[in-house]
Amino acid sequence: MAKVKSVLTYDDELLLRERKLLQEGFAFIAGVDEAGRGPLAGPVVAAAVILPREGELPGVFDSKQLSDARRRVLRDEIMQIAEVGIGVADVQEIDSLNILKATHLAMHRAVAKLEKVDFVLVDGLPVAGFPCPAENVIKGDAKSASIAAASIVAKVYRDEVMEELDEIYPGYGFAAHKGYGTAVHLESLRRLGVTPVHRRSFGPVRDLIDPPPEQLELFQ
């Protein structure tokens, strides 16, 4: 796991984009990221985070490079000091829209939860339709503190959802693999069948349904 700082200050490189936007006159800058595009089960979750403009900040970093315990500590610290919006697109929306459109829907819902926002920094490729100017940042969760904070909040929120689903649908191992297509998950799918929280438009699930549902264009 990555070794990261325990706190950030506003001269940190991870806040370079935020500082530039503040100097340009933007006051409420939200970082946006998602968790859960790839799994075979469960929702896709997005978070939008506006960090405070002064003082020390939690030592946020790309959530994928942090241990589960560290992510949860940072999530709690972020929730205490930042304005946070969380948006969810459920399995039915993923299957009816496709995963890309559902992810964008979750992102829009997360931003809509914020009281004030005048600029969005979004991880990855461009996302249209935000109610203010936006900039996409490739691998933004390792380049922007706001996006990194959003990646942590989204990841922990989704992990907790999958842990709850593990109690509702025992035997699939949701608490361990979080819905990803591990060997254990695929074996349990074949043995126990498809649940209401599995994504029927995703190949490994779709192949177990007779007749299979119509396959979506995933990235249109």
Side-chain angles (χ1 to χ4, degrees):
M1 295 297 175
K3 293 182 179 179
V4 299
K5 300 176 182 179
S6 59
V7 296
L8 296 181
T9 56
Y10 255 89
D11 60 352
D12 195 280
E13 185 177 356
L14 273 179
L15 287 155
L16 179 63
R17 286 173 173 80
E18 288 84 348
R19 289 199 306 272
K20 180 175 180 291
L21 289 166
L22 287 169
Q23 291 168 359
E24 292 175 4
F26 296 101
F28 304 98
I29 302 158
V32 177
D33 202 0
E34 54 73 31
R37 283 199 191 199
L40 306 180
V44 60
V45 174
V49 176
I50 300 177
L51 294 171
R53 285 171 279 178
E54 57 185 23
E56 291 184 339
L57 302 174
V60 296
F61 195 69
D62 176 6
S63 67
K64 296 183 291 295
Q65 302 298 318
L66 301 171
S67 68
D68 178 67
R70 182 62 180 154
R71 276 196 300 266
R72 291 179 191 242
V73 168
L74 285 170
R75 186 277 308 270
D76 292 344
E77 293 178 357
I78 292 164
M79 297 297 288
Q80 289 175 7
I81 66 165
E83 184 178 357
V84 176
I86 294 173
V88 177
D90 63 25
V91 169
Q92 289 72 31
E93 290 170 321
I94 293 169
D95 285 340
S96 64
L97 295 173
N98 77 34
I99 185 58
L100 180 62
K101 291 178 182 176
T103 299
H104 290 183
L105 177 61
M107 289 179 168
H108 292 150
R109 286 171 173 168
V111 171
K113 296 282 183 66
L114 299 173
E115 184 176 346
K116 292 181 180 180
V117 57
D118 56 15
F119 201 97
V120 168
L121 292 168
V122 61
D123 183 56
L125 298 175
V127 178
F130 290 118
C132 61
E135 175 188 350
N136 69 295
V137 184
I138 303 298
K139 297 184 178 179
D141 44 9
K143 297 176 181 178
S144 159
S146 299
I147 295 175
S151 77
I152 290 166
V153 172
K155 170 65 173 167
V156 174
Y157 185 97
R158 189 180 185 279
D159 284 355
E160 291 177 345
V161 169
M162 297 310 297
E163 289 158 9
E164 292 174 2
L165 291 178
D166 186 71
E167 297 181 6
I168 299 170
Y169 302 101
Y172 290 87
F174 288 146
H177 53 63
K178 306 301 189 290
Y180 283 88
T182 64
V184 169
H185 189 186
L186 293 174
E187 189 280 329
S188 65
L189 257 176
R190 289 188 289 267
R191 178 168 47 86
L192 300 173
V194 176
T195 74
V197 296
H198 279 99
R199 301 175 181 179
R200 285 161 164 72
S201 57
F202 280 43
V205 181
R206 183 177 178 273
D207 292 344
L208 293 174
I209 301 171
D210 187 22
E214 180 181 355
Q215 188 166 15
L216 297 174
E217 295 293 334
L218 294 183
F219 301 107
Q220 286 188 354

